[in-house]
């Protein structure tokens, strides 16, 4: 029997909705114009104790102007400062604030995953906890959602807050990851975005452990639109995500969403083979036709060094792919939760 294609049926939106919106969902033509959805704001935090006390109340106040049902989900990603204590104090002051305390530092991608799995709102906003994402943009994002957009992502106007090298490497990365790829990742689009519950459910259904969130956002599709913004200065401290962290994340993205490195090695091998055949033919013709005795010691040594370097490079690239496969087949959880604090939105029941 021929194999049947398998896929995932995405759940419909859950949570309290207006009767007209429910009817529109059943008809497949969701009208969100007059809908006031519940909103979850997911904020990963790593060593952000100095920012949470000032930024979270601002975010919470902005959300309450948009909906009476809101929550802010803070994920403490193994911080070494007093981030957990600051977040717990916020949960005591505001019942809408929730803290997910991870057992160690799992990285921002895992923290975002934890936040999306805990978020209960009909729409979910992802933003950093350092104050660089303008809260005023959330209202514009929600307006685009009411117009029918499932994903509204923010795109940086400039990279003036980064070094020229960092900006150049970012451009090279986006070119490589989008080259001959059906899934296009928008350049300069980060994690600051608003997503419909259906999009969140789709991302949650993806099983991979090595998660490159920018690629996953693009892979699931849905109706998407961009909003430009200018990053604000950090309210406190310095970013822990530097060039080294960006390079590591870029490598994860390339391995997870692009076969360009493997195809480049295959093309390089083909070119070297053709060059070797051409050189061998030239040596034969020079000796038998022109009587030129070609000395081979230097050529042999240079050729061996070149081929050895290419082989080691090839093994290294293959090892990256195999290493990611090894991490996936172990099926370890993406994160471990040490504790949850705060109330937040009430559970909306199982997604169906």
């Amino acid at each position: 029997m021929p194999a049947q294609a398998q896929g995932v049926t995405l759940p419909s939106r859950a949570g309290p909705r207006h009767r007209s919106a429910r009817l529109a969902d059943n008809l497949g033509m969701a009208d969100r114009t007059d809908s006031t959805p519940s909103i979850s704001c997911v904020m990963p935090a790593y060593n952000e104790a100095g920012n949470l006390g000032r930024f979270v109340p601002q975010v919470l106040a902005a959300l309450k102007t948009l909906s009476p049902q809101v929550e802010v989900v803070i994920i403490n990603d193994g911080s070494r400062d007093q981030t957990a204590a600051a977040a717990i104090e916020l949960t005591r002051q505001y019942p809408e604030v929730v803290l997910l305390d991870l057992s160690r530092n799992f990285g921002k991608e895992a923290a975002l995953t934890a936040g999306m799995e805990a978020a209960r709102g009909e729409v979910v906003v992802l933003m950093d906890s350092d104050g660089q994402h303008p809260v005023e943009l959330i209202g514009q994002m929600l307006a685009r959602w009411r117009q029918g957009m499932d994903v509204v992502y923010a795109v940086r106007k400039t990279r003036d807050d980064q070094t020229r090298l960092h900006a150049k490497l970012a451009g090279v990365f986006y070119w490589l990851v989008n080259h001959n790829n059906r899934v296009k990742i928008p350049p300069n689009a980060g994690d600051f975005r608003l997503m419909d519950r259906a999009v969140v459910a789709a991302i949650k259904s993806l099983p991979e452990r090595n998660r490159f969130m920018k690629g996953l956002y693009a892979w699931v599709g849905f109706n998407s639109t961009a909003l430009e913004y200018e990053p604000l200065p950090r309210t406190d401290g310095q970013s822990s995500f530097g060039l080294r962290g960006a390079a590591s994340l870029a490598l994860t993205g390339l391995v997870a969403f692009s076969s360009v490195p493997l195809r480049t090695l295959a093309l390089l091998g083909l070119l070297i083979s053709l060059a070797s055949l051409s050189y061998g033919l030239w040596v034969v013709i020079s000796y038998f036709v022109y009587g030129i005795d070609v000395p081979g010691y230097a050529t042999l040594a240079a050729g061996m060094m070149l081929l050895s370097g290419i082989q080691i490079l090839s093994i290294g690239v293959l090892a990256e792919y195999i290493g990611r496969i090894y991490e996936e087949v172990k099926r370890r959880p993406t994160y471990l939760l040490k504790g949850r604090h705060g109330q937040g939105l009430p559970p909306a029941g199982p997604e169906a």
Side-chain angles (χ1 to χ4, degrees), residues 285-337:
I285 294 175
S286 297
Y287 183 79
F288 288 102
V289 176
Y290 299 104
I292 301 174
D293 188 10
V294 181
Y297 295 106
T299 304
L300 181 62
M304 289 180 61
M305 292 177 64
L306 173 63
L307 292 177
S308 297
I310 293 175
Q311 287 176 344
I312 293 173
L313 174 64
S314 303
I315 292 172
V317 173
L318 291 174
E320 284 293 333
Y321 281 88
I322 295 172
R324 310 290 171 166
I325 297 172
Y326 178 58
E327 291 293 329
E328 293 292 333
V329 299
K330 287 190 289 188
R331 301 187 64 82
R332 290 176 180 169
T334 306
Y335 63 90
L336 293 176
L337 188 62

Side-chain angles (χ1 to χ4, degrees), residues 24-201:
D25 280 347
N26 292 334
L27 294 175
M29 299 179 297
D31 182 11
R32 306 170 183 167
T33 304
D34 299 323
S35 177
T36 302
S38 55
I39 305 175
S40 296
C41 182
V42 173
M43 300 174 59
Y46 179 70
N47 295 341
E48 299 290 355
N51 291 319
L52 291 179
R54 285 176 285 183
F55 188 55
V56 171
Q58 296 177 19
V59 173
L60 196 55
L63 294 177
K64 287 182 178 180
T65 64
L66 302 174
S67 173
Q69 295 180 301
V70 300
E71 67 177 358
V72 175
V73 182
I74 303 171
I75 306 94
N76 177 34
D77 189 23
S79 300
R80 299 179 181 179
D81 62 357
Q82 298 301 311
T83 295
I88 290 175
E89 181 61 29
L90 287 170
T91 64
R92 293 169 180 166
Q93 297 179 26
Y94 306 98
E96 300 89 353
V97 177
V98 175
L99 168 64
L100 302 180
D101 196 11
L102 304 188
S103 62
R104 63 170 176 84
N105 178 251
F106 288 89
K108 187 179 182 181
E109 313 298 288
L112 286 169
T113 301
M116 283 190 285
E117 291 182 350
R120 296 168 176 171
E122 292 175 89
V123 298
V124 177
V125 177
L126 308 182
M127 63 190 311
D128 292 345
S129 56
D130 56 10
Q132 290 194 281
H133 292 161
V135 296
E136 298 81 10
L137 211 61
I138 300 177
Q140 299 179 39
M141 290 178 171
L142 188 62
R144 298 290 182 91
W145 177 84
R146 288 196 174 100
Q147 295 170 6
M149 292 293 108
D150 298 308
V151 180
V152 185
Y153 58 90
V155 177
R156 303 167 61 111
K157 290 182 180 179
T158 63
R159 289 186 173 269
D160 293 340
D161 58 329
Q162 298 176 345
T163 64
R164 184 175 298 180
L165 176 61
H166 195 159
K168 282 278 188 182
L169 291 177
V172 172
F173 163 75
Y174 282 112
W175 182 86
L176 287 174
V177 78
N178 288 327
H179 184 66
N180 289 335
N181 198 340
R182 289 190 302 172
V183 178
K184 303 297 183 183
I185 300 175
N188 299 323
D191 297 308
F192 186 23
R193 62 188 59 223
L194 179 146
M195 298 182 293
D196 184 77
R197 167 55 56 180
V199 181
V200 175

